[in-house]
Every structure is written in structure tokens, then in C-alpha cells.
Amino acid sequence: MSDNPLDHNFKKQHDYLIGIDSDGCAFDSMEVKHKECFIPNTVKYFNLAAVSKYARQAAEFVNLYSKGRGINRFPALIETVDLLREWPDVIRRNVEIPQLQEVRDWIAREDKLGNPALEAEVAKNPTPELSNALAWSKAVNATVDDIVHNVPPFPNVRESLEKLSSVADMIVCSATPNKALGKEWEEHDIAKYVAAICGQEAGSKKETLGQAAGHGYAKNRVLMIGDAPGDMKAAKAVGALFYPINPGAEEQSWQRFLDESCDKFLNDQYAGEYEAALIAEFDTYLPELPPWKS
């Protein structure tokens, strides 16, 4: 059976479609997941204890504080080790940083970057490197399941979902695993507002949003809400509009969406100058280069 909820029971019910990212966008969960779950396992599974200080800074930059924020965990892992491999302070310590070439090759040929796809790859090609990457990813999931509880959605998320539920079809469009997404949205009783919860197993955000948009929504009536440039790129790739949740100003972003931007979207007044101004503001929030390079 397909891991994509859109393949099962998604149907167009309204004239408007809204995709919503989860971690860091609907939920204030990015910091705890990366700092307490991802990074300790990255240090452990890739033997980075000797440079753990730098590994933490690199991983936090990639996943939280850069324009790459919110990307899938496997490309993020590659970006993290690449930063470490070229960081002078790390090089001086003569610590071997893994190249992860087999993981890179798998990423290049796989379009559903999740544990099921990697498990299938390891079953065919059980190399130590791929097996370790799978063990790391499973350990991250287990740590998230163990630690991340009672993290509510940002203020005004629930109110926005309630406001939209009778006039727009909504889906969760995320790089987080399906199981974790379902748990978090159900735990806080907001899953009832969305027609589908689509995580990494369903495909990329571009693929998920594009598949849903293909059900017959008119131009400028598909919107992606996200907190990362990757969310915006996914939206633009399928001809959708984008509403930014500004990192560090999430509450203000949701307040503006509830009070103003939501109505502009539903009244077909969002596209054009209004969206462009929001995106220009959003672009100022995250740097491209880490502090030790800039």
C-alpha cells in the first residue's frame, strides 16, 4: 500500500487549497527535535565526539538558522558534514569527518527520502555506511518519540485552521515522518481540520503539494504556509502562492495570517505586491553563510 495519504481518500471539497508545514511552522518543535534528538545521535553514529562543539554548531546552522532550514534530514546530514570537512578549526584537529558518498549517491537517485526507501536500499545493498545511516535515522525517530511530547501549536494556528476549515481544503505538507506528524496533530486535536497528513514517505513537499493542487484548483487559489525557503521553492515550483512564517517571529506571523493575510487569500487579493512584500521581509530572516564564514 502507498505511504502517500493523497493516494487514498483526498478529494477536492472547496475552491481553495492550503498546504501547511509542521515543524517550526505549525509547531514550535524545531529546536527541541534538532538540539535534543537529531544532534546527539549525529555525534554518536558518525563518530563526531572529538568535534562535537563544531558538529552542533554546523547542524544547528543547517537545520535551524540558515536558508536551508527545514530540509529533509538526509541532505541536511550531508550539508552538516560538508561544513565540518571545510571548517579550519575542525581540520586542525585531524579528526576524520565521513564523506558519506554512498548516502549522497542514494539521495541522488531516490525521490522519497525516508526510512522505508532507505530500508529497501539497505536490503539490496547492505553496506556499513548505508546501514549506519539507517540506524541513525531510526534512532532519531525513537528519540523524538521518547522526548517530544506536549509541544503545542503556535498561538493562532488552531484559530486559523478553524477559520479555514469550512472554505478551504488543507493538507499537512512536511519532511517529517508520517508517524510523528500524525501523533503530533492528533495529540493536539487539530488533525480533524486537515484532509491529509503527508510526511517524508509521501515524497518531497513539491511532489505532495503538486499532487494535491492537481485536483483542479484555479490559479492563485493554492497556498503553501511554511517557515523555510524550501517551502517557498516547493510552492513556486507548482505555481502556488507562499505565506511565510518568519523564524523567531512565528506568533506575529500567525497573528497576521489570521487577521489579514488569510482574508486576502480567500478574496483573491493575495497574489502580486502583497505576497512579494511578505517574501521580501521573509528573506531577511535567515543567512546563507554560517557565522564562521561570514
Side-chain angles (χ1 to χ4, degrees):
M1 179 179 290
S2 168
D3 289 316
N4 187 349
L6 295 178
D7 291 338
H8 307 315
N9 53 13
F10 179 79
K11 295 180 181 179
K12 181 175 181 286
Q13 303 287 337
H14 301 97
D15 290 334
Y16 296 88
L17 172 68
I18 299 178
I20 307 166
D21 182 42
S22 192
D23 288 343
C25 177
F27 289 92
D28 191 9
S29 52
M30 287 276 279
E31 296 266 338
V32 65
K33 285 187 177 181
H34 283 285
K35 292 183 177 181
E36 311 303 333
C37 306
F38 275 87
I39 293 171
N41 281 301
T42 300
V43 170
K44 174 182 177 181
Y45 280 85
F46 299 100
N47 299 315
L48 299 174
V51 290
S52 64
K53 176 176 70 173
Y54 303 103
R56 176 171 293 276
Q57 291 179 56
E60 288 182 1
F61 177 78
V62 168
N63 292 288
L64 299 173
Y65 308 132
S66 75
K67 292 190 184 300
R69 169 186 169 95
I71 63 173
N72 178 279
R73 66 180 62 183
F74 295 104
L77 174 64
I78 297 300
E79 289 195 19
T80 298
V81 298
D82 282 349
L83 283 178
L84 291 175
R85 288 168 62 84
E86 61 186 31
W87 195 340
D89 290 347
V90 174
I91 293 170
R92 284 194 294 270
R93 280 158 175 76
N94 294 315
V95 174
E96 183 178 356
I97 307 299
Q99 171 71 21
L100 300 181
Q101 188 59 51
E102 293 176 358
V103 177
R104 294 170 195 268
D105 294 342
W106 173 72
I107 291 171
R109 61 178 179 267
E110 175 58 56
D111 61 356
K112 291 181 172 58
L113 297 176
N115 286 1
L118 187 52
E119 286 174 344
E121 181 70 21
V122 169
K124 295 185 297 182
N125 185 25
T127 68
E129 181 178 302
L130 290 175
S131 299
N132 186 61
L134 178 59
W136 164 77
S137 187
K138 288 184 172 181
V140 167
N141 289 357
T143 310
V144 169
D145 191 53
D146 181 46
I147 290 177
V148 183
H149 303 282
N150 302 316
V151 179
F154 285 109
N156 293 312
V157 170
R158 186 184 308 276
E159 293 81 357
S160 296
L161 296 174
E162 289 173 348
K163 179 176 180 177
L164 288 163
S165 60
S166 63
V167 292
D169 299 327
M170 293 181 284
I171 63 169
V172 179
C173 186
S174 170
T176 298
N178 287 353
K179 182 179 178 182
L181 286 174
K183 175 185 172 183
E184 290 160 2
W185 283 70
E186 291 285 356
E187 179 184 9
H188 298 283
D189 195 32
I190 58 174
K192 63 188 179 185
Y193 296 116
V194 297
I197 297 177
C198 303
Q200 61 182 217
E201 296 91 342
S204 69
K205 293 177 183 179
K206 171 187 171 182
E207 291 168 333
T208 296
L209 190 63
Q211 181 179 349
H215 283 72
Y217 299 91
K219 180 177 174 59
N220 293 336
R221 291 193 169 182
V222 179
L223 177 72
M224 177 71 188
I225 302 175
D227 63 300
D231 300 324
M232 181 173 66
K233 290 177 183 176
K236 296 308 175 185
V238 301
L241 301 169
F242 178 67
Y243 181 77
I245 301 299
N246 294 324
E250 295 89 354
E251 291 190 30
Q252 297 93 320
S253 298
W254 278 108
Q255 186 73 60
R256 177 169 57 189
F257 180 77
L258 178 64
D259 294 343
E260 176 184 286
S261 307
C262 174
D263 293 319
K264 285 190 176 292
F265 174 61
L266 295 174
N267 292 322
D268 298 324
Q269 299 171 342
Y270 188 89
E273 291 184 4
Y274 183 79
E275 182 195 32
L278 295 181
I279 289 175
E281 177 190 43
F282 174 62
D283 190 54
T284 67
Y285 273 79
L286 296 168
E288 291 184 5
L289 293 176
W292 57 91
K293 283 190 173 186
S294 57

